[in-house]
Amino acid sequence: MTNEDKAGLQLDSKKAAARVGLTSDEIIINGGSPLKGRIKVRGAKNLATKAMVASLLGNSESVLTNVPNISDVRVVAGLLALHGVLVTRGESGEWRLDPTNVEVAHKADIDAHAGSSRIPILFCGPLLHRLGEAFIPDLGGCRIGDRPIDFHLDALRAFGAVIEKQPMGISLEAPNGLKGANIELPYPSVGATEQVLLTAVLAEGTTELRNAAIEPEIVDLICILQKMGAIISIEPNRVIFIEGVEKLRGYRHDAIFDRNEVASWAAAALATKGDVYIEGAKQEEMMTFLNVFRKVGGDFDVEHDGIRFYHPGGDLKPVVIETDVHPGFMTDWQQPLVVALTQAIGTSTIHETVYENRFGFTDALNKMGADITVYKEGLGDPSRRVNRREFEQAAVITGPTPLTGADIEVPDLRGGFSHLIAALTATGQTKVTNLGIISRGYENFIEKLRLLGADFIYEG
Ligand code: EPZ
């Protein structure tokens, strides 16, 4: 497709959108045609935002490349600038972050700017090291559970932080500095592991972290911290040792690719019987997803610069999936995959063990003709699960059920992408509203839909 063709399509889409009075937060998708083509996926939302916070720990400028153009990144950049970091956005995904003049920011400004992000909680350790104090606003993030931060606060107190609840958030001080600690997490929490890493690297003495998260994004953050001068070792059985050092310097790092975005577009290719090449995808970090993708009836070819995901023909098959921490099937992968499972011949079960309310998106799918039942209690053998919370969730999907277009609203980030896939899979027209949430984590997704030949009207 030439640039002229693309421009022409864009103009037609704008005109059509104006005719039907679409806002920029809405899209009308004419479903039923396969996604075919090539897209590029850049850095992981769930690494890049943390890497930007890590720059606060350095005594010189850091440069992060392969950063996706998403609103979660822009929110963190704004919060860093509020705290005196010199933030410069370069060409094609490069951000330069100079923390030489870090300063206290006004609580009201922080609260106003933090928006729906959960990343501010990770500013605690770096700001305590740099300024001896921090204010963290009440957190946002997708409503997929109550999302407490008790593991974070317990870890910070173990380092010697003093925490006080404020009307709009929490304030922290470290009257005697931050000292290394022995911490065992009740659950391999990604955020709490990052909290410990970002605090321990400059703490006095050694920190031993047990039951740590070991997702690829965590390992990539450890690589960044090691580049800055930190001494961190990943031991067997989820143990991480961190030897506190006196100072850290800036880093230069290319962010690891976004596994969640790759899984989302791959699931879209499967559900629409398409064929999508995803540049930037790598096999090693996606192995569990690739196994499930093949069991459902998809196929893939691993190339040197990406992976081709396609529907090879034939029927889709049902599966039983239990979400888990890495290297298990990620909780962020189940929502996009559910749409393909509505087209499989038979009954699939997804047991969600990480969050207690992550099937809200299935209401819209049922409205479009799917047959999905959500159970509050868990299914399967409870001994296999990390016993953490009485609320487990399971969804039973019976297919195949043809989907027909409807008006649906995006509930959260990954559920929202699942709604796009459902609209692309359904026959007829679907109007999807509240699109803004999707741009928190999916870079240029409208352009990518256009590149893959989707038929839609959008005013943007
Ligand atoms: C990160 O969230 C990701 N977000 C999530 O992706 C991802 O689903 C999750 O890790 C699991 O992989 C970011 O990195 C910004 P957790 P996080 O701490 O760190 C409970 C997406 O769509 N918990 O591993 O918040 C918690 O309620 C998002 O990109 C506590 O009980 O996840 C949850 O049930 C969604 N107390 C479980 O642990 C705590 O102090 C796992 O949470 C912290 C967590």
Side-chain angles (χ1 to χ4, degrees):
M1 185 186 291
T2 66
N3 287 337
E4 290 72 19
D5 293 346
K6 272 197 270 184
L9 269 179
Q10 200 147 359
L11 197 57
D12 293 347
S13 178
K14 266 180 178 289
K15 283 180 187 167
R19 268 200 307 277
V20 295
L22 275 188
T23 70
S24 62
D25 212 19
E26 300 168 330
I27 187 171
I28 289 180
I29 293 176
N30 299 309
S33 49
L35 291 184
K36 293 196 176 204
R38 182 187 180 104
I39 55 173
K40 179 174 171 52
V41 165
R42 286 203 292 191
K45 164 180 87 77
N46 295 344
L47 177 274
T49 46
K50 293 56 170 307
M52 293 168 78
V53 175
S55 71
L56 281 168
L57 294 162
N59 58 14
S60 59
E61 182 183 64
S62 290
V63 181
L64 183 63
T65 52
N66 197 32
V67 180
N69 176 23
I70 55 176
S71 54
D72 269 21
V73 163
R74 293 192 292 275
V75 166
V76 174
L79 284 170
L80 289 170
L82 268 183
H83 286 88
V85 176
L86 184 58
V87 179
T88 315
R89 182 176 177 183
E91 291 302 312
S92 68
E94 177 188 279
W95 287 79
R96 308 182 78 87
L97 307 154
D98 181 350
T100 314
N101 301 311
V102 171
E103 60 196 11
V104 174
H106 296 296
K107 291 181 183 177
D109 294 343
I110 299 171
D111 188 51
H113 200 90
S116 63
S117 173
R118 294 187 61 72
I119 308 304
I121 189 68
L122 298 179
F123 278 65
C124 295
L127 290 180
L128 285 174
H129 280 304
R130 292 296 304 267
L131 305 171
E133 62 176 273
F135 171 76
I136 309 300
D138 289 332
L139 300 178
C142 292
R143 305 314 307 158
I144 52 179
D146 62 11
R147 306 197 78 179
I149 54 169
D150 51 331
F151 302 164
H152 294 253
L153 303 184
D154 292 348
L156 287 162
R157 290 189 184 99
F159 282 109
V162 175
I163 303 169
E164 198 179 310
K165 184 71 185 94
Q166 301 283 334
M168 298 186 295
I170 55 171
S171 61
L172 303 95
E173 288 183 345
N176 306 311
L178 296 169
K179 294 183 173 42
N182 291 335
I183 297 166
E184 175 148 7
L185 294 178
Y187 179 82
S189 151
V190 167
T193 300
E194 291 159 343
Q195 183 73 251
V196 172
L197 290 169
L198 292 169
T199 305
V201 287
L202 283 178
E204 186 190 328
T206 299
T207 294
E208 178 187 276
L209 174 59
R210 296 189 166 281
N211 205 23
I214 52 171
E215 273 66 6
E217 296 77 19
I218 296 274
V219 176
D220 210 38
L221 179 63
I222 291 173
C223 289
I224 287 169
L225 294 169
Q226 189 179 51
K227 285 178 175 178
M228 297 177 80
I231 300 173
I232 305 175
S233 60
I234 304 176
E235 308 285 325
N237 308 319
R238 295 184 179 274
V239 176
I240 298 177
F241 279 108
I242 305 109
E243 293 178 38
V245 294
E246 292 284 314
K247 62 182 174 20
L248 296 170
R249 59 180 183 253
Y251 64 80
R252 173 176 281 278
H253 191 78
D254 201 53
I256 189 173
F257 77 99
D258 195 317
R259 302 180 295 147
N260 292 342
E261 182 175 0
V262 170
S264 301
W265 288 109
L270 191 57
T272 61
K273 297 187 173 58
D275 187 334
V276 175
Y277 189 82
I278 303 180
E279 187 184 331
K282 293 190 171 75
Q283 179 181 7
E284 184 182 343
E285 292 83 357
M286 301 290 306
M287 293 177 85
T288 304
F289 178 82
L290 295 172
N291 288 336
V292 171
F293 189 80
R294 185 170 270 154
K295 286 193 328 190
V296 177
D299 209 344
F300 59 91
D301 299 328
V302 178
E303 307 294 347
H304 70 284
D305 68 345
I307 301 177
R308 175 195 172 211
F309 292 94
Y310 57 100
H311 184 302
D315 297 330
L316 296 187
K317 297 178 271 303
V319 287
V320 177
I321 295 171
E322 187 163 286
T323 63
D324 205 340
V325 293
H326 186 73
F329 191 88
M330 297 297 287
T331 173
D332 307 323
W333 294 341
Q334 52 102 336
Q335 302 81 8
L337 192 70
V338 164
V339 182
L341 297 181
T342 66
Q343 306 307 306
I345 298 181
T347 299
S348 298
T349 301
I350 292 188
H351 186 238
E352 172 57 56
T353 71
V354 180
Y355 287 104
E356 66 273 30
N357 185 17
R358 203 161 192 187
F359 285 119
F361 71 97
T362 57
D363 295 343
L365 304 189
N366 284 335
K367 182 178 171 184
M368 298 171 78
D371 176 0
I372 305 170
T373 307
V374 174
Y375 295 87
K376 207 65 181 132
E377 62 286 349
L379 303 177
D381 174 3
S383 66
R384 273 203 61 212
R385 293 197 289 280
V386 180
N387 283 324
R388 189 174 30 79
R389 193 173 261 120
E390 69 283 0
F391 284 146
E392 302 284 354
Q393 272 216 297
V396 175
I397 304 115
T398 302
T401 52
L403 300 182
T404 50
D407 286 358
I408 54 180
E409 183 176 337
V410 167
D412 57 64
L413 179 64
R414 307 301 171 187
F417 200 90
S418 170
H419 286 182
L420 292 180
I421 300 175
L424 292 161
T425 306
T427 51
Q429 234 177 43
T430 298
K431 182 176 177 183
V432 184
T433 56
N434 202 23
L435 281 185
I437 292 185
I438 299 178
S439 56
R440 278 190 46 212
Y442 290 93
E443 179 182 49
N444 303 336
F445 67 94
I446 299 287
E447 177 54 24
K448 287 170 180 166
L449 286 173
R450 204 185 307 282
L451 283 171
L452 296 175
D455 177 3
F456 62 89
I457 303 170
Y458 178 69
E459 69 85 47

